[in-house]
Amino acid sequence: MARYTLAMRGLSQRVQAMKPSATVAVNARALELRRRGVDLVALTAGEPDFDTPEHVKEAARRALLQGKTKYAPPAGIPELREALAEKFRRENGLEVSPEETIVTVGGKQALFNLFQAILDPGDEVIVLAPYWVSYPEMVRFAGGVPVEVRTRPEAGFVPDPEEVKRAITPRTKALVVNSPNNPTGAVYPEEVLRALAELALEHDFYLVSDEIYEHLIYEGAHFSPGRVAPEHTVTVNGAAKAFAMTGWRIGYAAGPKGVIKAMADVSSQSTTSPDTIAQWATLEALTNLEASRAFIAAAREAYRRRRDLLLEGLSALGLKAVRPQGAFYVLLDTSPFAEDEVRAAERLLEAGVAVVPGTDFAAFGHVRLSYATSEENLKKALERFRRLL
């Protein structure tokens, strides 16, 4: 007994203060219920339901046959970093060299390493709420202080640069921007992103631009704020969403050379490098443009149909949700179901639909629905919503 008490007492304060990912936890619970035979529609995971494209899988097979199974440099294989520099130039209008790019174990590690590299205790990081659940936890783990600036449903969850400006202090070290956004699906207009980049220039802080959903836009257009403030911006992305490669764990980033080197130094003392075979597969995804563009276009159109089906069904039931312009999420107002979003998620789970309560997203009074699932599942979920109401 005493031994276990000592083990708990020996954990660091920063680990004890860190909350586990709510989305991962809810998805795990849904999977467990399914394993028990519960008839459940899971609208929880932020994960494409499509398989990885065949040309990408074939590149992984070739890498295996060619013996490309050794350690890679901490910042990634040179061939992939060269392809990333070209991708950022071609698709994002960013002029970066291979040395200004890094490959990481998913986009999450790019963000984690970045905060470890730039934050000192007490440094403030502005996060736009609702936000992806991991941003504030990563900031706190690095010793920083997350500062929330809320966005509002009536504004389409698009931030007001003036409100962001009022949150800036002498301790502000970074601003995190995520467009298209998880969990709201908002796509920030170019003029808003330009204004936020101008704030980074004026007040000399980092702009962290998480662009993991850039290829999943249904209305509006994607704009990378690094075009405005290249020396102040770190652009984060990855293979997971565009190429249905979540389990391959390949993220990447571009930014000032000194920051990228520091991020690679963090990798060198933690993961060494991302999976080598997965890097060669990602190289294929980024360079076989004809096949990759065809895959992305087909997936995007499927998501668009699903979004429209879900929104029309919710509207027919009298439920309120802001129309998402990108990603594959809808934030649903839970007031018709329960007094708060946690109880609403519990009632929906009892009705056979798993959703993520908005609490850890700072999306209070909402649950997040993922439409990265079949149209059949969405119709079944809507019918269960109707019965519950």
Side-chain angles (χ1 to χ4, degrees):
M1 181 70 72
R3 191 174 60 194
Y4 292 115
T5 303
L6 177 61
M8 285 303 296
R9 197 157 43 86
L11 294 178
S12 69
Q13 292 181 6
R14 64 182 177 276
V15 165
Q16 293 183 61
M18 177 178 277
K19 293 185 292 185
S21 168
T23 48
V24 172
V26 171
N27 197 47
R29 185 180 177 194
L31 290 172
E32 178 58 29
L33 288 171
R34 275 180 166 173
R35 276 193 291 269
R36 294 181 193 170
V38 176
D39 180 17
L40 191 67
V41 178
L43 306 182
T44 52
E47 178 174 45
D49 59 322
F50 303 106
D51 193 13
T52 303
E54 187 58 37
H55 67 289
V56 175
K57 293 193 287 185
E58 182 56 37
R61 297 186 193 103
R62 286 198 304 270
L64 278 170
L65 292 173
Q66 294 166 1
K68 295 177 177 177
T69 57
K70 306 301 182 184
Y71 289 129
I77 59 174
E79 293 86 347
L80 182 52
R81 296 179 77 189
E82 290 171 3
L84 287 172
E86 172 59 22
K87 173 258 184 287
F88 282 117
R89 184 199 63 77
R90 180 182 66 246
E91 296 184 350
N92 305 97
L94 305 178
E95 296 297 331
V96 298
S97 67
E99 293 75 29
E100 293 169 312
T101 69
I102 184 173
V103 189
T104 56
V105 185
K108 186 175 282 188
Q109 194 201 20
L111 291 160
F112 187 91
N113 284 12
L114 172 61
F115 292 134
Q116 293 293 325
I118 66 173
L119 295 182
D120 286 316
D123 284 347
E124 295 176 353
V125 178
I126 298 173
V127 290
L128 305 172
Y131 43 66
W132 180 48
V133 295
S134 293
Y135 294 143
E137 292 304 314
M138 290 181 182
V139 169
R140 291 188 189 100
F141 196 81
V145 179
V147 176
E148 290 187 14
V149 173
R150 298 206 62 79
T151 63
R152 297 171 176 79
E154 57 269 23
F157 293 113
V158 172
D160 180 348
E162 287 301 315
E163 290 191 24
V164 174
K165 186 175 182 177
R166 287 194 288 272
I168 298 170
T169 76
R171 298 305 303 268
T172 301
K173 193 64 173 287
L175 161 66
V176 181
V177 173
N178 175 213
S179 175
N181 183 267
N182 174 12
T184 68
V187 175
Y188 300 166
E190 179 179 334
E191 60 270 22
V192 169
L193 290 166
R194 283 186 176 276
L196 296 176
E198 292 289 350
L199 289 176
L201 285 171
E202 180 183 352
H203 296 274
D204 196 26
F205 57 74
Y206 289 107
L207 179 62
V208 181
S209 183
D210 183 349
E211 303 181 12
I212 192 77
Y213 295 99
E214 67 171 342
H215 290 298
L216 301 180
I217 293 179
Y218 318 111
E219 283 100 33
H222 182 68
F223 180 79
S224 294
R227 293 171 60 180
V228 179
E231 291 302 314
H232 287 73
T233 304
V234 178
T235 304
V236 176
N237 209 319
K241 313 300 182 182
F243 304 111
M245 293 176 67
T246 50
W248 299 72
R249 306 311 303 133
I250 295 293
Y252 48 83
K257 190 179 295 184
V259 175
I260 295 298
K261 182 184 182 303
M263 292 168 65
D265 289 344
V266 175
S267 289
S268 73
Q269 297 292 359
S270 55
T271 56
T272 300
S273 68
D275 179 276
T276 305
I277 296 161
Q279 290 191 64
W280 287 103
T282 304
L283 177 64
E284 171 72 12
L286 292 176
T287 55
N288 187 341
L289 298 182
E290 182 178 359
S292 291
R293 284 170 176 166
F295 175 83
I296 289 170
R300 183 169 54 235
E301 185 54 36
Y303 290 133
R304 184 200 303 273
R305 290 196 304 271
R306 296 170 182 182
R307 179 203 62 170
D308 292 347
L309 185 157
L310 181 58
L311 288 176
E312 289 167 10
L314 294 173
S315 178
L317 294 172
L319 296 171
K320 292 192 295 184
V322 175
R323 182 181 182 85
Q325 297 176 299
F328 38 61
Y329 309 108
V330 170
L331 274 186
L332 176 65
D333 183 332
T334 57
S335 54
F337 294 110
E339 64 276 8
D340 61 57
E341 69 278 358
V342 175
R343 179 58 186 141
E346 290 171 350
R347 292 196 68 200
L348 286 165
L349 191 62
E350 292 163 3
V353 184
V355 300
V356 184
T359 312
D360 288 348
F361 297 100
F364 306 106
H366 294 78
V367 293
R368 191 191 74 173
L369 316 179
S370 169
Y371 50 90
T373 188
S374 68
E375 293 185 20
E376 179 184 357
N377 278 341
L378 294 174
K379 290 175 183 176
K380 191 182 293 186
L382 288 166
E383 173 57 22
R384 293 176 183 185
F385 286 177
R386 186 191 66 76
R387 281 190 223 154
L388 181 58
L389 289 169

